[in-house]
């Protein structure tokens, strides 16, 4: 039976691969790299550099181009459906074509496969809907969320508290749910934190975490929001892409003893 390893590779620093991830990487004869357009080429290159650094066996890399998605289509649901099934076909064919009956292949996942990554969902879809069979395992990685906390030297929760993880789009559309004090935000192209500038929140922001281009800023949202917006725009223009993550933390008044 073919075997697929879904390996979390950390979010930018090749030293953040776990020993388990390196071990898994070295079991794969083929590494599948999903290409997501020119601006993400740097990330695909980083994945290749990680293999070169940690792999001590003959190994092939196979690039899978993401099918083009028709974002202008009138029937949005149909377009997404078509795109997903084109992508599933591509992956199923590649697994069959590139791996022998008992071969092992790996998908390298940015950060940790548990956070905003579709690899597990696609593999499940292949097993459910396509005439294909393989076993798969998931090897965790260090997420951008953890790097953010480490670089700012903070814990994400307060004592016994909850952490809410969401996207920029949801934060902008829904705000912060009642009772939530600590919100981690990923996938925010529009700086949704600016809406909280007049509220008692601190922002802990990081871009290109774990890479030589890393940027960090922290402070009351009202005080740092403009600077972060500018930094973000400049960095994006310079590099052609940006990945940033942040924590919005409600300032809780200190309780007076007694
Ligand atoms: C598609 S999600 C993938 C998250 C990934 N699975 C993880 O665990 O970090 C991409 C988002 O992760 C965050 N991200 C990933 N790598 C990052 C990095 N090196 N620095 C800052 N944010 C990063 C950004 O919010 C980005 O929009």
């Amino acid at each position: 039976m073919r075997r697929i390893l879904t390996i979390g590779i950390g979010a930018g620093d090749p030293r953040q691969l776990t020993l388990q991830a390196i071990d898994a990487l070295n079991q794969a004869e083929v590494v599948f790299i999903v290409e997501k357009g020119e601006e993400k080429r740097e990330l695909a290159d980083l994945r290749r550099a990680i293999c070169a650094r940690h792999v001590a066996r003959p190994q092939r890399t196979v690039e899978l181009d993401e099918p083009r998605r028709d974002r202008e289509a009138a029937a949005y649901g149909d377009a997404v459906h078509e795109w997903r099934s084109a992508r599933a076909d591509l992956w199923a064919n590649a697994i069959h074509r590139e791996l022998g009956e008992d071969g092992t292949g790996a998908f390298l996942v940015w950060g940790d496969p548990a956070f905003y990554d579709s690899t597990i969902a696609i593999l499940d879809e292949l097993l459910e809907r396509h005439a294909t069979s393989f076993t798969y395992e998931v090897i965790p990685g260090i997420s951008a969320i953890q790097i953010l906390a480490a670089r700012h030297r903070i814990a994400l929760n307060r004592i016994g508290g909850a952490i809410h993880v969401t996207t920029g789009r949801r934060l902008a559309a829904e705000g912060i749910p009642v009772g939530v004090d600590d919100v981690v935000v990923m996938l925010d192209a529009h700086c949704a934190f600016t809406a909280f500038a007049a509220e008692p929140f601190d922002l802990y922001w990081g871009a290109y975490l774990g890479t030589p281009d890393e940027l960090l800023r922290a402070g009351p949202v009202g005080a740092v929001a403009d600077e972060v917006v500018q930094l973000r725009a400049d960095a994006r223009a310079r590099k052609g892409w940006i990945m940033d993550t942040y924590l919005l933390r409600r300032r809780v008044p200190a309780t007076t003893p007694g």
Side-chain angles (χ1 to χ4, degrees):
M1 175 87 87
R2 290 177 175 86
R3 183 168 165 246
I4 297 294
L5 302 169
T6 299
I7 307 174
I9 58 167
D13 184 339
R15 295 172 304 171
Q16 284 171 350
L17 255 81
T18 66
L19 296 179
Q20 189 189 16
I22 293 172
D23 190 40
L25 197 51
N26 277 286
Q27 291 172 39
E29 59 225 50
V30 176
V31 169
F32 297 102
I33 295 188
V34 181
E35 299 276 9
K36 291 184 181 162
E38 199 47 45
E39 67 178 31
K40 297 283 170 67
R41 179 151 283 279
E42 200 172 329
L43 297 184
D45 288 347
L46 208 117
R47 284 181 170 89
R48 271 182 275 274
I50 286 172
C51 293
R53 177 170 176 159
H54 293 296
V55 175
R57 59 163 290 165
Q59 188 172 71
R60 286 183 298 125
T61 55
V62 171
E63 291 169 16
L64 302 179
D65 285 323
E66 285 275 82
R68 225 185 65 73
R69 186 157 150 191
D70 185 359
R71 291 176 192 273
E72 310 299 320
Y76 180 77
D78 289 350
V80 170
H81 183 74
E82 267 174 37
W83 176 76
R84 286 182 67 143
S85 87
R87 186 180 58 180
D89 286 345
L90 187 83
W91 285 39
N93 290 340
I95 289 170
H96 274 258
R97 190 181 61 239
E98 304 293 342
L99 294 179
E101 289 277 315
D102 294 312
T104 299
F107 283 90
L108 306 190
V109 174
W110 196 254
D112 185 272
F115 293 108
Y116 297 111
D117 183 85
S118 52
T119 310
I120 292 175
I122 299 171
L123 293 176
D124 281 341
E125 189 180 326
L126 291 190
L127 289 174
E128 228 171 78
R129 300 222 192 108
H130 286 249
T132 178
S133 62
F134 52 82
T135 62
Y136 81 88
E137 291 159 49
V138 178
I139 291 94
I142 294 183
S143 170
I145 297 175
Q146 291 159 283
I147 309 177
L148 178 78
R151 299 296 291 129
H152 283 291
R153 299 184 298 177
I154 52 171
L156 293 175
N157 64 291
R158 257 82 62 90
I159 300 171
I163 309 158
H164 185 76
V165 180
T166 190
T167 63
R169 185 189 291 252
R170 291 192 84 100
L171 181 67
E174 298 164 9
I176 296 180
V178 175
V180 169
D181 292 331
D182 290 283
V183 186
V184 173
V185 184
M186 303 181 103
L187 293 162
D188 182 2
H190 301 291
C191 300
F193 55 83
T194 53
F196 299 87
E199 297 192 40
F201 279 92
D202 289 324
L203 177 71
Y204 296 86
W205 176 82
Y208 312 109
L209 291 159
T211 77
D213 297 310
E214 183 175 275
L215 296 168
L216 296 171
R217 285 296 182 278
V221 183
V224 295
D226 288 349
E227 187 193 358
V228 170
V229 169
Q230 192 59 51
L231 265 177
R232 195 182 184 283
D234 293 347
R236 193 175 190 288
R238 197 168 56 245
K239 283 181 71 69
W241 60 278
I242 188 162
M243 282 202 300
D244 60 335
T245 303
Y246 56 88
L247 170 73
L248 273 176
R249 164 157 289 171
R250 193 188 302 274
R251 242 172 287 132
V252 179
T255 44
T256 33

